[in-house]
Amino acid sequence: MKVLDRGTSPHSLLRLAPVVGSVQRIRVRTQSSSAVKDAGKKTPRPPVPGVQLVLAAEVLAVAASGEARFRFTLESVALLVQPGTAPQAVKQLHTQLEPLPGLTGEGRVAHDGRPNGFTLKLPKDLAPELRGPLDQVTATLSGLGRIFPAEPVGLGARWTPALPGKGPLAGAHTTLELKARDDASLGLRLTMESTSKPQPVPEHLRASEQRETLTTYVRGQGGCAFAVDRLWPTRFELEVDTRLALRAEGTPPRHMDSFAHLELRVRELSFALPQAPQAPRAASGTHRR
């Protein structure tokens, strides 16, 4: 974690303060599109259905360190079918979705937003068309870890978080900016960019014995809003564009580019605090004579 600008005064720590017994429900939507450009011609790839999840998280305990332990449940899963998707493929994917609602797991989140465990165990035989988006969702939610700086900051502060693991947040140079803040909530702006070094081309992409290299370019932007008594963002938006550039020297040279666009949306559906136990009613002391 590196703070680039501490922002305007006053400065204070950004911390979460979840409430034991509270339940937060969020809806997560992810959609993507892709295309290939080869020999100067750009061709869209067949559409892939997006996925919508509804997740519920209940805070089970909060340690003295501020770390919260929670249980989450996958309440529902639905396909977001794009025009042109083969009906038979949609039917097969719907069948595979049926056993997923009800999956549960546990996780831990530190007071600085760092997750110490968040897993959603999926069936081993799940279709790649579903496993990819579902893995993307869980990787992104878990990748929100250590999102707050360790030192006090003020409005306008900018920092680069360490975001290990998988997903669009991992590996790219990501910058967060504190755009809004009050006693109960805060808003962040996110930008990301990366360019990999040329690397060997994977076997399944190789087309000849020529010396081929592959370079990855990533650009993304988005924002998120937190309420300090929640575990997950109340709103999160992210759009990421990725380009894989394959280059081969030869006669003729080979230039092929693969493009992908990812959209991820998180919205809070509901939030419930634990209900205080009601005091027992006093017995009436009035008697009719």
Side-chain angles (χ1 to χ4, degrees):
M1 182 76 68
K2 181 181 180 181
V3 176
L4 306 175
D5 185 340
R6 293 187 63 195
T8 59
S9 296
H11 297 155
S12 59
L13 291 172
L14 303 181
R15 292 292 182 260
L16 297 178
V19 179
V20 175
S22 62
V23 178
Q24 182 186 18
R25 297 174 63 249
I26 62 170
R27 182 186 66 207
V28 185
R29 290 180 175 177
T30 177
Q31 292 181 288
S32 63
S33 59
S34 59
V36 174
K37 184 177 181 181
D38 197 3
K41 182 180 180 181
K42 191 172 183 179
T43 306
R45 284 178 171 164
V48 176
V51 175
Q52 175 177 290
L53 312 178
V54 175
L55 293 160
E58 179 184 3
V59 180
L60 302 177
V62 178
S65 64
E67 181 186 70
R69 180 169 63 89
F70 66 95
R71 176 175 56 237
F72 63 90
T73 303
L74 179 58
E75 292 189 344
S76 66
V77 190
L79 292 179
L80 303 175
V81 181
Q82 301 185 51
T85 306
Q88 186 61 29
V90 173
K91 183 178 180 180
Q92 292 176 351
L93 293 175
H94 270 301
T95 301
Q96 291 211 325
L97 287 178
E98 290 179 357
L100 297 184
L103 291 178
T104 62
E106 288 196 9
R108 296 176 182 270
V109 176
H111 56 71
D112 62 356
R114 182 183 73 253
N116 296 327
F118 176 85
T119 57
L120 184 62
K121 294 183 179 180
L122 301 172
K124 293 182 179 180
D125 58 349
L126 194 63
E129 296 91 336
L130 290 176
R131 181 172 295 278
L134 290 173
D135 283 343
Q136 188 71 75
V137 168
T138 54
T140 301
L141 287 174
S142 61
L144 291 174
R146 205 179 287 279
I147 201 168
F148 302 141
E151 61 185 88
V153 295
L155 201 61
R158 296 170 56 250
W159 63 93
T160 57
L163 298 171
K166 301 177 181 180
L169 296 178
H173 178 78
T174 303
T175 302
L176 290 165
E177 181 180 358
L178 183 60
K179 299 292 292 183
R181 183 179 187 180
D182 57 33
D183 292 339
S185 62
L186 53 95
L188 307 177
R189 180 174 181 269
L190 180 152
T191 57
M192 56 191 303
E193 183 176 359
S194 73
T195 301
S196 73
K197 294 180 179 180
Q199 53 194 298
V201 176
E203 189 65 30
H204 70 280
L205 292 178
R206 292 182 61 86
S208 68
E209 297 301 321
Q210 301 178 17
R211 181 177 180 274
E212 299 175 326
T213 60
L214 187 69
T215 304
T216 304
Y217 303 89
V218 178
R219 288 180 179 271
Q221 60 180 357
C224 54
F226 282 90
V228 296
D229 56 358
R230 268 73 150 179
L231 291 173
W232 288 332
T234 57
R235 178 184 60 80
F236 180 83
E237 298 180 355
L238 178 65
E239 294 193 20
V240 180
D241 289 294
T242 303
R243 177 167 69 96
L244 304 180
L246 187 151
R247 300 292 182 262
E249 302 301 328
T251 306
R254 183 188 182 205
H255 288 181
M256 186 185 80
D257 294 273
S258 176
F259 302 90
H261 179 75
L262 169 71
E263 296 183 7
L264 181 66
R265 301 283 187 272
V266 174
R267 289 290 186 276
E268 181 179 84
L269 297 179
S270 65
F271 178 72
L273 290 169
Q275 293 185 353
Q278 294 183 354
R281 292 183 179 180
S284 174
T286 302
H287 300 280
R288 182 176 296 178
R289 294 183 180 272

